[in-house]
Amino acid sequence: AQSVTQLDSHVSVSEGTPVLLRCNYSSSYSPSLFWYVQHPNKGLQLLLKYTSAATLVKGINGFEAEFKKSETSFHLTKPSAHMSDAAEYFCVLMFSGGYNKLIFGAGTRLAVHP
Amino acid sequence: DAGVTQSPTHLIKTRGQQVTLRCSPKSGHDTVSWYQQALGQGPQFIFQYYEEEERQRGNFPDRFSGHQFPNYSSELNVNALLLGDSALYLCASSPLQSSYNEQFFGPGTRLTVL
Protein backbone atom coordinates (compact mmCIF):
# COMPACT_ATOMS: atom_id res chain seq x y z
CA ALA A 1 0.00 0.00 0.00
CA GLN A 2 1.13 3.54 -0.66
CA SER A 3 1.11 5.98 2.22
CA VAL A 4 2.72 9.07 3.68
CA THR A 5 3.57 9.69 7.33
CA GLN A 6 4.42 13.12 8.66
CA LEU A 7 6.27 12.54 11.88
CA ASP A 8 5.37 15.79 13.65
CA SER A 9 1.90 17.30 13.88
CA HIS A 10 3.29 20.59 15.23
CA VAL A 11 6.69 22.24 14.91
CA SER A 12 7.61 25.51 16.57
CA VAL A 13 10.73 27.54 15.69
CA SER A 14 12.07 31.01 16.29
CA GLU A 15 12.40 33.43 13.41
CA GLY A 16 15.82 33.07 11.78
CA THR A 17 16.40 29.48 12.94
CA PRO A 18 16.34 26.38 10.71
CA VAL A 19 13.17 24.51 9.86
CA LEU A 20 12.91 20.71 9.56
CA LEU A 21 9.61 19.03 8.72
CA ARG A 22 9.85 15.25 8.53
CA CYS A 23 8.12 12.93 6.09
CA ASN A 24 8.37 9.19 5.45
CA TYR A 25 6.68 7.41 2.61
CA SER A 26 5.73 3.88 1.65
CA SER A 27 5.54 2.90 -2.00
CA SER A 28 6.25 -0.23 -4.00
CA TYR A 29 7.14 1.90 -6.98
CA SER A 30 9.52 4.74 -7.65
CA PRO A 31 7.53 7.59 -6.09
CA SER A 32 6.72 11.12 -7.11
CA LEU A 33 6.71 13.24 -3.98
CA PHE A 34 5.58 16.78 -3.29
CA TRP A 35 5.41 19.30 -0.50
CA TYR A 36 2.42 21.64 -0.43
CA VAL A 37 1.79 24.56 1.93
CA GLN A 38 -1.62 25.75 3.09
CA HIS A 39 -2.04 29.21 4.56
CA PRO A 40 -5.30 30.00 6.40
CA ASN A 41 -8.19 30.60 4.04
CA LYS A 42 -6.01 29.98 1.01
CA GLY A 43 -5.59 27.10 -1.38
CA LEU A 44 -2.77 24.60 -1.31
CA GLN A 45 0.39 25.85 -2.97
CA LEU A 46 3.12 23.62 -4.37
CA LEU A 47 6.48 24.19 -2.67
CA LEU A 48 8.54 21.60 -4.52
CA LYS A 49 8.41 18.24 -6.24
CA TYR A 50 10.59 15.15 -6.66
CA THR A 51 10.09 13.10 -9.81
CA SER A 52 13.15 10.80 -9.95
CA ALA A 53 15.62 13.42 -11.09
CA ALA A 54 18.03 15.08 -8.62
CA THR A 55 17.57 13.84 -5.06
CA LEU A 56 18.02 17.33 -3.59
CA VAL A 57 15.08 19.41 -4.71
CA LYS A 58 14.89 23.17 -4.38
CA GLY A 59 11.56 24.89 -4.14
CA ILE A 60 10.06 28.28 -3.65
CA ASN A 61 10.70 30.63 -0.72
CA GLY A 62 14.03 29.02 0.19
CA PHE A 63 12.66 25.56 0.94
CA GLU A 64 14.36 22.38 -0.16
CA ALA A 65 13.89 18.66 0.38
CA GLU A 66 16.10 15.62 0.01
CA PHE A 67 14.83 12.30 -1.29
CA LYS A 68 16.50 9.38 0.52
CA LYS A 69 15.40 6.04 -0.87
CA SER A 70 17.31 4.01 1.74
CA GLU A 71 15.43 5.80 4.52
CA THR A 72 12.15 6.22 2.57
CA SER A 73 12.20 9.86 3.63
CA PHE A 74 11.55 13.22 2.02
CA HIS A 75 12.19 15.81 4.72
CA LEU A 76 11.56 19.51 4.11
CA THR A 77 14.12 22.07 5.30
CA LYS A 78 14.74 25.78 5.27
CA PRO A 79 17.91 27.43 6.64
CA SER A 80 16.20 30.41 8.23
CA ALA A 81 12.52 30.66 9.17
CA HIS A 82 10.49 33.75 8.42
CA MET A 83 7.28 34.80 10.14
CA SER A 84 5.43 34.35 6.84
CA ASP A 85 6.36 30.63 6.81
CA ALA A 86 3.81 29.91 9.54
CA ALA A 87 1.29 27.58 7.88
CA GLU A 88 0.24 23.95 7.46
CA TYR A 89 2.60 21.80 5.40
CA PHE A 90 1.65 18.59 3.63
CA CYS A 91 3.90 15.88 2.31
CA VAL A 92 2.21 14.27 -0.69
CA LEU A 93 2.75 11.07 -2.66
CA MET A 94 1.43 10.67 -6.17
CA PHE A 95 -0.38 7.37 -6.53
CA SER A 96 1.50 5.28 -9.04
CA GLY A 97 -1.71 3.78 -10.37
CA GLY A 98 -2.01 6.81 -12.56
CA TYR A 99 -4.38 9.69 -13.08
CA ASN A 100 -2.55 12.09 -10.76
CA LYS A 101 -4.28 10.89 -7.60
CA LEU A 102 -2.53 12.47 -4.61
CA ILE A 103 -2.08 10.84 -1.21
CA PHE A 104 -1.62 13.41 1.54
CA GLY A 105 0.02 13.13 4.91
CA ALA A 106 -1.84 14.40 7.96
CA GLY A 107 0.04 17.70 7.87
CA THR A 108 2.51 19.56 10.08
CA ARG A 109 1.57 22.91 11.52
CA LEU A 110 4.59 25.21 11.60
CA ALA A 111 4.60 28.05 14.11
CA VAL A 112 7.25 30.76 13.87
CA HIS A 113 7.91 32.94 16.91
CA PRO A 114 9.65 36.33 16.93
CA ASP B 1 -4.94 34.40 -15.64
CA ALA B 2 -7.38 33.28 -13.00
CA GLY B 3 -6.42 30.25 -11.03
CA VAL B 4 -8.80 27.59 -9.82
CA THR B 5 -11.99 29.12 -8.46
CA GLN B 6 -14.62 27.54 -6.25
CA SER B 7 -18.07 28.57 -5.11
CA PRO B 8 -19.54 29.11 -2.67
CA THR B 9 -16.89 29.97 -0.10
CA HIS B 10 -18.93 28.78 2.85
CA LEU B 11 -22.11 26.75 3.13
CA ILE B 12 -24.28 25.62 6.03
CA LYS B 13 -26.69 22.73 5.59
CA THR B 14 -28.68 20.41 7.84
CA ARG B 15 -28.53 16.64 7.98
CA GLY B 16 -30.35 14.90 5.14
CA GLN B 17 -30.10 17.83 2.76
CA GLN B 18 -28.28 17.86 -0.55
CA VAL B 19 -25.49 20.22 -1.61
CA THR B 20 -23.76 21.19 -4.86
CA LEU B 21 -20.29 22.69 -4.95
CA ARG B 22 -18.76 24.24 -8.04
CA CYS B 23 -15.27 24.50 -9.49
CA SER B 24 -13.73 26.27 -12.46
CA PRO B 25 -10.30 24.97 -13.42
CA LYS B 26 -7.26 26.98 -14.29
CA SER B 27 -7.16 28.12 -17.89
CA GLY B 28 -5.77 25.39 -20.14
CA HIS B 29 -6.52 22.60 -17.67
CA ASP B 30 -8.90 19.81 -18.59
CA THR B 31 -8.72 17.50 -15.58
CA VAL B 32 -10.48 18.23 -12.29
CA SER B 33 -10.06 16.38 -9.00
CA TRP B 34 -12.01 16.80 -5.78
CA TYR B 35 -10.67 16.32 -2.26
CA GLN B 36 -12.26 16.37 1.19
CA GLN B 37 -10.25 17.86 4.05
CA ALA B 38 -11.71 17.21 7.48
CA LEU B 39 -10.60 19.44 10.33
CA GLY B 40 -7.03 18.66 11.38
CA GLN B 41 -6.46 16.14 8.61
CA GLY B 42 -4.88 16.00 5.19
CA PRO B 43 -7.07 16.10 2.09
CA GLN B 44 -8.60 12.80 0.93
CA PHE B 45 -9.16 12.08 -2.76
CA ILE B 46 -12.84 11.84 -3.72
CA PHE B 47 -12.76 11.48 -7.51
CA GLN B 48 -11.34 12.86 -10.74
CA TYR B 49 -13.04 13.97 -13.95
CA TYR B 50 -11.67 14.10 -17.46
CA GLU B 51 -13.60 14.46 -20.72
CA GLU B 52 -16.82 14.70 -18.72
CA GLU B 53 -16.37 11.27 -17.20
CA GLU B 54 -15.35 10.06 -13.76
CA ARG B 55 -11.92 8.55 -14.30
CA GLN B 56 -10.94 7.48 -10.81
CA ARG B 57 -12.64 7.34 -7.43
CA GLY B 58 -11.47 7.22 -3.83
CA ASN B 59 -13.15 5.50 -0.90
CA PHE B 60 -16.28 7.62 -0.75
CA PRO B 61 -19.90 6.39 -0.82
CA ASP B 62 -22.23 6.85 -3.74
CA ARG B 63 -23.79 9.83 -1.95
CA PHE B 64 -20.86 11.71 -3.43
CA SER B 65 -21.26 12.28 -7.14
CA GLY B 66 -19.92 14.72 -9.67
CA HIS B 67 -20.14 16.12 -13.10
CA GLN B 68 -17.84 17.81 -15.57
CA PHE B 69 -19.11 20.18 -18.24
CA PRO B 70 -17.79 20.74 -21.77
CA ASN B 71 -15.96 23.87 -20.58
CA TYR B 72 -14.11 21.63 -18.04
CA SER B 73 -15.81 23.16 -14.99
CA SER B 74 -17.08 20.66 -12.46
CA GLU B 75 -19.64 20.12 -9.74
CA LEU B 76 -19.53 17.97 -6.63
CA ASN B 77 -22.88 16.79 -5.30
CA VAL B 78 -23.43 15.27 -1.90
CA ASN B 79 -26.81 13.73 -1.03
CA ALA B 80 -28.29 12.84 2.35
CA LEU B 81 -25.76 14.93 4.24
CA LEU B 82 -24.29 13.57 7.45
CA LEU B 83 -22.61 15.48 10.26
CA GLY B 84 -19.36 13.81 9.21
CA ASP B 85 -19.52 15.46 5.81
CA SER B 86 -18.55 18.75 7.43
CA ALA B 87 -15.19 19.60 5.88
CA LEU B 88 -13.27 21.81 3.49
CA TYR B 89 -13.84 20.61 -0.07
CA LEU B 90 -10.96 21.32 -2.41
CA CYS B 91 -10.94 21.29 -6.16
CA ALA B 92 -7.70 20.79 -8.08
CA SER B 93 -7.04 21.06 -11.79
CA SER B 94 -4.21 19.87 -13.99
CA PRO B 95 -3.40 19.65 -17.67
CA LEU B 96 -3.59 16.09 -18.91
CA GLN B 97 -0.28 16.34 -20.71
CA SER B 98 1.65 17.81 -17.79
CA SER B 99 5.04 16.17 -17.56
CA TYR B 100 5.07 16.25 -13.78
CA ASN B 101 1.37 16.20 -13.08
CA GLU B 102 1.27 19.21 -10.77
CA GLN B 103 -2.20 19.94 -9.50
CA PHE B 104 -3.35 23.49 -8.81
CA PHE B 105 -5.77 23.88 -5.94
CA GLY B 106 -8.62 26.28 -5.37
CA PRO B 107 -9.28 27.95 -1.99
CA GLY B 108 -11.98 25.44 -1.13
CA THR B 109 -15.59 25.45 0.02
CA ARG B 110 -16.16 25.12 3.76
CA LEU B 111 -19.25 22.95 4.31
CA THR B 112 -20.84 22.80 7.74
CA VAL B 113 -23.57 20.23 8.37
CA LEU B 114 -25.77 20.85 11.43
PDB file of all heavy atoms in Angstrom, chain A residues 82-111:
ATOM      1  N   HIS A  82      11.047  32.400   8.457  1.00  0.00           N
ATOM      2  CA  HIS A  82      10.486  33.747   8.423  1.00  0.00           C
ATOM      3  C   HIS A  82       9.074  33.675   8.989  1.00  0.00           C
ATOM      4  O   HIS A  82       8.408  32.639   8.893  1.00  0.00           O
ATOM      5  CB  HIS A  82      10.459  34.253   6.978  1.00  0.00           C
ATOM      6  CG  HIS A  82      10.149  35.697   6.835  1.00  0.00           C
ATOM      7  ND1 HIS A  82       8.859  36.178   6.757  1.00  0.00           N
ATOM      8  CD2 HIS A  82      10.965  36.780   6.766  1.00  0.00           C
ATOM      9  CE1 HIS A  82       8.888  37.489   6.656  1.00  0.00           C
ATOM     10  NE2 HIS A  82      10.144  37.878   6.653  1.00  0.00           N
ATOM     11  N   MET A  83       8.618  34.779   9.546  1.00  0.00           N
ATOM     12  CA  MET A  83       7.279  34.796  10.136  1.00  0.00           C
ATOM     13  C   MET A  83       6.216  34.339   9.130  1.00  0.00           C
ATOM     14  O   MET A  83       5.250  33.666   9.487  1.00  0.00           O
ATOM     15  CB  MET A  83       6.934  36.184  10.651  1.00  0.00           C
ATOM     16  CG  MET A  83       7.800  36.664  11.806  1.00  0.00           C
ATOM     17  SD  MET A  83       7.601  35.647  13.275  1.00  0.00           S
ATOM     18  CE  MET A  83       5.932  36.079  13.755  1.00  0.00           C
ATOM     19  N   SER A  84       6.411  34.693   7.871  1.00  0.00           N
ATOM     20  CA  SER A  84       5.430  34.350   6.836  1.00  0.00           C
ATOM     21  C   SER A  84       5.408  32.852   6.506  1.00  0.00           C
ATOM     22  O   SER A  84       4.531  32.402   5.762  1.00  0.00           O
ATOM     23  CB  SER A  84       5.707  35.142   5.559  1.00  0.00           C
ATOM     24  OG  SER A  84       6.989  34.812   5.055  1.00  0.00           O
ATOM     25  N   ASP A  85       6.352  32.083   7.055  1.00  0.00           N
ATOM     26  CA  ASP A  85       6.360  30.631   6.814  1.00  0.00           C
ATOM     27  C   ASP A  85       5.346  29.888   7.685  1.00  0.00           C
ATOM     28  O   ASP A  85       5.102  28.698   7.464  1.00  0.00           O
ATOM     29  CB  ASP A  85       7.764  30.053   7.082  1.00  0.00           C
ATOM     30  CG  ASP A  85       8.801  30.557   6.105  1.00  0.00           C
ATOM     31  OD1 ASP A  85       8.448  30.819   4.935  1.00  0.00           O
ATOM     32  OD2 ASP A  85       9.974  30.691   6.517  1.00  0.00           O
ATOM     33  N   ALA A  86       4.785  30.564   8.662  1.00  0.00           N
ATOM     34  CA  ALA A  86       3.806  29.910   9.539  1.00  0.00           C
ATOM     35  C   ALA A  86       2.599  29.459   8.725  1.00  0.00           C
ATOM     36  O   ALA A  86       1.926  30.277   8.075  1.00  0.00           O
ATOM     37  CB  ALA A  86       3.372  30.869  10.640  1.00  0.00           C
ATOM     38  N   ALA A  87       2.344  28.159   8.724  1.00  0.00           N
ATOM     39  CA  ALA A  87       1.287  27.582   7.880  1.00  0.00           C
ATOM     40  C   ALA A  87       1.218  26.081   8.151  1.00  0.00           C
ATOM     41  O   ALA A  87       1.952  25.558   8.991  1.00  0.00           O
ATOM     42  CB  ALA A  87       1.583  27.824   6.403  1.00  0.00           C
ATOM     43  N   GLU A  88       0.338  25.415   7.421  1.00  0.00           N
ATOM     44  CA  GLU A  88       0.243  23.954   7.463  1.00  0.00           C
ATOM     45  C   GLU A  88       0.978  23.402   6.251  1.00  0.00           C
ATOM     46  O   GLU A  88       0.797  23.889   5.133  1.00  0.00           O
ATOM     47  CB  GLU A  88      -1.232  23.522   7.418  1.00  0.00           C
ATOM     48  CG  GLU A  88      -1.472  22.046   7.650  1.00  0.00           C
ATOM     49  CD  GLU A  88      -1.599  21.692   9.116  1.00  0.00           C
ATOM     50  OE1 GLU A  88      -1.835  22.596   9.931  1.00  0.00           O
ATOM     51  OE2 GLU A  88      -1.456  20.491   9.450  1.00  0.00           O
ATOM     52  N   TYR A  89       1.798  22.384   6.469  1.00  0.00           N
ATOM     53  CA  TYR A  89       2.597  21.803   5.401  1.00  0.00           C
ATOM     54  C   TYR A  89       2.208  20.335   5.215  1.00  0.00           C
ATOM     55  O   TYR A  89       2.082  19.582   6.191  1.00  0.00           O
ATOM     56  CB  TYR A  89       4.093  21.917   5.716  1.00  0.00           C
ATOM     57  CG  TYR A  89       4.586  23.345   5.664  1.00  0.00           C
ATOM     58  CD1 TYR A  89       4.373  24.220   6.726  1.00  0.00           C
ATOM     59  CD2 TYR A  89       5.260  23.829   4.541  1.00  0.00           C
ATOM     60  CE1 TYR A  89       4.797  25.533   6.667  1.00  0.00           C
ATOM     61  CE2 TYR A  89       5.697  25.136   4.478  1.00  0.00           C
ATOM     62  CZ  TYR A  89       5.459  25.982   5.550  1.00  0.00           C
ATOM     63  OH  TYR A  89       5.882  27.295   5.483  1.00  0.00           O
ATOM     64  N   PHE A  90       2.049  19.956   3.952  1.00  0.00           N
ATOM     65  CA  PHE A  90       1.646  18.588   3.633  1.00  0.00           C
ATOM     66  C   PHE A  90       2.679  17.914   2.735  1.00  0.00           C
ATOM     67  O   PHE A  90       3.067  18.475   1.701  1.00  0.00           O
ATOM     68  CB  PHE A  90       0.284  18.567   2.919  1.00  0.00           C
ATOM     69  CG  PHE A  90      -0.860  19.003   3.783  1.00  0.00           C
ATOM     70  CD1 PHE A  90      -1.321  20.310   3.742  1.00  0.00           C
ATOM     71  CD2 PHE A  90      -1.461  18.109   4.646  1.00  0.00           C
ATOM     72  CE1 PHE A  90      -2.373  20.719   4.542  1.00  0.00           C
ATOM     73  CE2 PHE A  90      -2.517  18.499   5.461  1.00  0.00           C
ATOM     74  CZ  PHE A  90      -2.963  19.812   5.402  1.00  0.00           C
ATOM     75  N   CYS A  91       3.083  16.738   3.146  1.00  0.00           N
ATOM     76  CA  CYS A  91       3.900  15.876   2.311  1.00  0.00           C
ATOM     77  C   CYS A  91       2.942  15.009   1.494  1.00  0.00           C
ATOM     78  O   CYS A  91       1.949  14.478   2.042  1.00  0.00           O
ATOM     79  CB  CYS A  91       4.808  15.015   3.185  1.00  0.00           C
ATOM     80  SG  CYS A  91       5.926  13.936   2.285  1.00  0.00           S
ATOM     81  N   VAL A  92       3.191  14.888   0.200  1.00  0.00           N
ATOM     82  CA  VAL A  92       2.212  14.271  -0.687  1.00  0.00           C
ATOM     83  C   VAL A  92       2.892  13.270  -1.608  1.00  0.00           C
ATOM     84  O   VAL A  92       3.937  13.566  -2.193  1.00  0.00           O
ATOM     85  CB  VAL A  92       1.484  15.348  -1.527  1.00  0.00           C
ATOM     86  CG1 VAL A  92       0.417  14.716  -2.402  1.00  0.00           C
ATOM     87  CG2 VAL A  92       0.877  16.407  -0.622  1.00  0.00           C
ATOM     88  N   LEU A  93       2.266  12.119  -1.767  1.00  0.00           N
ATOM     89  CA  LEU A  93       2.747  11.069  -2.662  1.00  0.00           C
ATOM     90  C   LEU A  93       1.781  10.958  -3.824  1.00  0.00           C
ATOM     91  O   LEU A  93       0.564  10.926  -3.618  1.00  0.00           O
ATOM     92  CB  LEU A  93       2.803   9.747  -1.894  1.00  0.00           C
ATOM     93  CG  LEU A  93       3.141   8.459  -2.655  1.00  0.00           C
ATOM     94  CD1 LEU A  93       4.587   8.481  -3.116  1.00  0.00           C
ATOM     95  CD2 LEU A  93       2.890   7.247  -1.769  1.00  0.00           C
ATOM     96  N   MET A  94       2.311  10.885  -5.032  1.00  0.00           N
ATOM     97  CA  MET A  94       1.434  10.672  -6.174  1.00  0.00           C
ATOM     98  C   MET A  94       1.247   9.183  -6.360  1.00  0.00           C
ATOM     99  O   MET A  94       2.211   8.429  -6.475  1.00  0.00           O
ATOM    100  CB  MET A  94       1.995  11.286  -7.445  1.00  0.00           C
ATOM    101  CG  MET A  94       1.109  11.025  -8.662  1.00  0.00           C
ATOM    102  SD  MET A  94       1.547  11.985 -10.076  1.00  0.00           S
ATOM    103  CE  MET A  94       1.018  13.593  -9.517  1.00  0.00           C
ATOM    104  N   PHE A  95      -0.025   8.773  -6.393  1.00  0.00           N
ATOM    105  CA  PHE A  95      -0.384   7.372  -6.532  1.00  0.00           C
ATOM    106  C   PHE A  95       0.116   6.844  -7.861  1.00  0.00           C
ATOM    107  O   PHE A  95      -0.185   7.414  -8.909  1.00  0.00           O
ATOM    108  CB  PHE A  95      -1.904   7.236  -6.438  1.00  0.00           C
ATOM    109  CG  PHE A  95      -2.406   5.833  -6.534  1.00  0.00           C
ATOM    110  CD1 PHE A  95      -2.131   4.929  -5.529  1.00  0.00           C
ATOM    111  CD2 PHE A  95      -3.161   5.416  -7.614  1.00  0.00           C
ATOM    112  CE1 PHE A  95      -2.603   3.632  -5.601  1.00  0.00           C
ATOM    113  CE2 PHE A  95      -3.632   4.116  -7.704  1.00  0.00           C
ATOM    114  CZ  PHE A  95      -3.357   3.217  -6.696  1.00  0.00           C
ATOM    115  N   SER A  96       0.874   5.776  -7.818  1.00  0.00           N
ATOM    116  CA  SER A  96       1.502   5.281  -9.036  1.00  0.00           C
ATOM    117  C   SER A  96       0.539   4.532  -9.937  1.00  0.00           C
ATOM    118  O   SER A  96       0.934   4.082 -11.009  1.00  0.00           O
ATOM    119  CB  SER A  96       2.678   4.373  -8.666  1.00  0.00           C
ATOM    120  OG  SER A  96       2.229   3.274  -7.910  1.00  0.00           O
ATOM    121  N   GLY A  97      -0.723   4.397  -9.508  1.00  0.00           N
ATOM    122  CA  GLY A  97      -1.706   3.776 -10.374  1.00  0.00           C
ATOM    123  C   GLY A  97      -2.199   4.693 -11.468  1.00  0.00           C
ATOM    124  O   GLY A  97      -3.056   4.318 -12.261  1.00  0.00           O
ATOM    125  N   GLY A  98      -1.684   5.901 -11.475  1.00  0.00           N
ATOM    126  CA  GLY A  98      -2.005   6.807 -12.565  1.00  0.00           C
ATOM    127  C   GLY A  98      -3.029   7.860 -12.206  1.00  0.00           C
ATOM    128  O   GLY A  98      -3.511   7.942 -11.095  1.00  0.00           O
ATOM    129  N   TYR A  99      -3.329   8.687 -13.174  1.00  0.00           N
ATOM    130  CA  TYR A  99      -4.379   9.691 -13.080  1.00  0.00           C
ATOM    131  C   TYR A  99      -4.130  10.754 -12.026  1.00  0.00           C
ATOM    132  O   TYR A  99      -5.068  11.376 -11.560  1.00  0.00           O
ATOM    133  CB  TYR A  99      -5.737   9.040 -12.840  1.00  0.00           C
ATOM    134  CG  TYR A  99      -6.110   8.039 -13.911  1.00  0.00           C
ATOM    135  CD1 TYR A  99      -6.650   6.804 -13.571  1.00  0.00           C
ATOM    136  CD2 TYR A  99      -5.912   8.318 -15.256  1.00  0.00           C
ATOM    137  CE1 TYR A  99      -7.000   5.894 -14.543  1.00  0.00           C
ATOM    138  CE2 TYR A  99      -6.245   7.409 -16.240  1.00  0.00           C
ATOM    139  CZ  TYR A  99      -6.794   6.190 -15.871  1.00  0.00           C
ATOM    140  OH  TYR A  99      -7.136   5.282 -16.836  1.00  0.00           O
ATOM    141  N   ASN A 100      -2.912  10.973 -11.630  1.00  0.00           N
ATOM    142  CA  ASN A 100      -2.553  12.088 -10.757  1.00  0.00           C
ATOM    143  C   ASN A 100      -3.187  12.053  -9.382  1.00  0.00           C
ATOM    144  O   ASN A 100      -3.248  13.091  -8.721  1.00  0.00           O
ATOM    145  CB  ASN A 100      -2.934  13.433 -11.402  1.00  0.00           C
ATOM    146  CG  ASN A 100      -2.287  13.635 -12.742  1.00  0.00           C
ATOM    147  OD1 ASN A 100      -1.642  12.758 -13.271  1.00  0.00           O
ATOM    148  ND2 ASN A 100      -2.459  14.813 -13.290  1.00  0.00           N
ATOM    149  N   LYS A 101      -3.683  10.937  -8.928  1.00  0.00           N
ATOM    150  CA  LYS A 101      -4.280  10.885  -7.596  1.00  0.00           C
ATOM    151  C   LYS A 101      -3.199  11.160  -6.564  1.00  0.00           C
ATOM    152  O   LYS A 101      -2.129  10.569  -6.588  1.00  0.00           O
ATOM    153  CB  LYS A 101      -4.898   9.519  -7.348  1.00  0.00           C
ATOM    154  CG  LYS A 101      -5.394   9.302  -5.926  1.00  0.00           C
ATOM    155  CD  LYS A 101      -5.880   7.884  -5.751  1.00  0.00           C
ATOM    156  CE  LYS A 101      -6.217   7.585  -4.309  1.00  0.00           C
ATOM    157  NZ  LYS A 101      -6.686   6.189  -4.141  1.00  0.00           N
ATOM    158  N   LEU A 102      -3.489  12.094  -5.638  1.00  0.00           N
ATOM    159  CA  LEU A 102      -2.531  12.474  -4.612  1.00  0.00           C
ATOM    160  C   LEU A 102      -2.908  11.863  -3.269  1.00  0.00           C
ATOM    161  O   LEU A 102      -4.078  11.856  -2.887  1.00  0.00           O
ATOM    162  CB  LEU A 102      -2.469  13.993  -4.482  1.00  0.00           C
ATOM    163  CG  LEU A 102      -2.043  14.761  -5.743  1.00  0.00           C
ATOM    164  CD1 LEU A 102      -2.038  16.263  -5.461  1.00  0.00           C
ATOM    165  CD2 LEU A 102      -0.688  14.304  -6.232  1.00  0.00           C
ATOM    166  N   ILE A 103      -1.890  11.379  -2.555  1.00  0.00           N
ATOM    167  CA  ILE A 103      -2.081  10.837  -1.213  1.00  0.00           C
ATOM    168  C   ILE A 103      -1.375  11.776  -0.244  1.00  0.00           C
ATOM    169  O   ILE A 103      -0.150  11.930  -0.317  1.00  0.00           O
ATOM    170  CB  ILE A 103      -1.517   9.418  -1.109  1.00  0.00           C
ATOM    171  CG1 ILE A 103      -2.218   8.502  -2.113  1.00  0.00           C
ATOM    172  CG2 ILE A 103      -1.665   8.877   0.316  1.00  0.00           C
ATOM    173  CD1 ILE A 103      -1.562   7.143  -2.264  1.00  0.00           C
ATOM    174  N   PHE A 104      -2.147  12.399   0.637  1.00  0.00           N
ATOM    175  CA  PHE A 104      -1.621  13.414   1.541  1.00  0.00           C
ATOM    176  C   PHE A 104      -1.260  12.823   2.897  1.00  0.00           C
ATOM    177  O   PHE A 104      -1.942  11.921   3.404  1.00  0.00           O
ATOM    178  CB  PHE A 104      -2.665  14.510   1.771  1.00  0.00           C
ATOM    179  CG  PHE A 104      -2.812  15.493   0.643  1.00  0.00           C
ATOM    180  CD1 PHE A 104      -3.497  15.146  -0.507  1.00  0.00           C
ATOM    181  CD2 PHE A 104      -2.265  16.754   0.736  1.00  0.00           C
ATOM    182  CE1 PHE A 104      -3.637  16.041  -1.557  1.00  0.00           C
ATOM    183  CE2 PHE A 104      -2.402  17.670  -0.311  1.00  0.00           C
ATOM    184  CZ  PHE A 104      -3.084  17.314  -1.452  1.00  0.00           C
ATOM    185  N   GLY A 105      -0.210  13.380   3.509  1.00  0.00           N
ATOM    186  CA  GLY A 105       0.025  13.127   4.908  1.00  0.00           C
ATOM    187  C   GLY A 105      -0.950  13.935   5.744  1.00  0.00           C
ATOM    188  O   GLY A 105      -1.728  14.732   5.220  1.00  0.00           O
ATOM    189  N   ALA A 106      -0.887  13.734   7.060  1.00  0.00           N
ATOM    190  CA  ALA A 106      -1.840  14.404   7.956  1.00  0.00           C
ATOM    191  C   ALA A 106      -1.517  15.876   8.166  1.00  0.00           C
ATOM    192  O   ALA A 106      -2.353  16.626   8.677  1.00  0.00           O
ATOM    193  CB  ALA A 106      -1.879  13.688   9.299  1.00  0.00           C
ATOM    194  N   GLY A 107      -0.323  16.294   7.763  1.00  0.00           N
ATOM    195  CA  GLY A 107       0.040  17.697   7.874  1.00  0.00           C
ATOM    196  C   GLY A 107       0.887  18.005   9.090  1.00  0.00           C
ATOM    197  O   GLY A 107       0.813  17.321  10.121  1.00  0.00           O
ATOM    198  N   THR A 108       1.720  19.030   8.967  1.00  0.00           N
ATOM    199  CA  THR A 108       2.512  19.558  10.078  1.00  0.00           C
ATOM    200  C   THR A 108       2.245  21.050  10.161  1.00  0.00           C
ATOM    201  O   THR A 108       2.433  21.761   9.176  1.00  0.00           O
ATOM    202  CB  THR A 108       4.023  19.333   9.870  1.00  0.00           C
ATOM    203  OG1 THR A 108       4.288  17.943   9.813  1.00  0.00           O
ATOM    204  CG2 THR A 108       4.813  19.974  11.011  1.00  0.00           C
ATOM    205  N   ARG A 109       1.807  21.476  11.325  1.00  0.00           N
ATOM    206  CA  ARG A 109       1.566  22.909  11.519  1.00  0.00           C
ATOM    207  C   ARG A 109       2.856  23.555  12.022  1.00  0.00           C
ATOM    208  O   ARG A 109       3.373  23.193  13.074  1.00  0.00           O
ATOM    209  CB  ARG A 109       0.439  23.156  12.511  1.00  0.00           C
ATOM    210  CG  ARG A 109       0.152  24.643  12.722  1.00  0.00           C
ATOM    211  CD  ARG A 109      -1.180  24.886  13.362  1.00  0.00           C
ATOM    212  NE  ARG A 109      -2.293  24.439  12.524  1.00  0.00           N
ATOM    213  CZ  ARG A 109      -2.827  25.160  11.532  1.00  0.00           C
ATOM    214  NH1 ARG A 109      -2.341  26.343  11.248  1.00  0.00           N
ATOM    215  NH2 ARG A 109      -3.836  24.678  10.836  1.00  0.00           N
ATOM    216  N   LEU A 110       3.360  24.500  11.246  1.00  0.00           N
ATOM    217  CA  LEU A 110       4.588  25.215  11.599  1.00  0.00           C
ATOM    218  C   LEU A 110       4.249  26.551  12.228  1.00  0.00           C
ATOM    219  O   LEU A 110       3.538  27.361  11.619  1.00  0.00           O
ATOM    220  CB  LEU A 110       5.458  25.424  10.355  1.00  0.00           C
ATOM    221  CG  LEU A 110       6.724  26.254  10.560  1.00  0.00           C
ATOM    222  CD1 LEU A 110       7.706  25.532  11.485  1.00  0.00           C
ATOM    223  CD2 LEU A 110       7.397  26.565   9.228  1.00  0.00           C
ATOM    224  N   ALA A 111       4.729  26.760  13.429  1.00  0.00           N
ATOM    225  CA  ALA A 111       4.600  28.051  14.111  1.00  0.00           C
ATOM    226  C   ALA A 111       5.974  28.712  14.147  1.00  0.00           C
ATOM    227  O   ALA A 111       6.977  28.052  14.421  1.00  0.00           O
ATOM    228  CB  ALA A 111       4.057  27.854  15.521  1.00  0.00           C
TER     229      ALA A 111
END
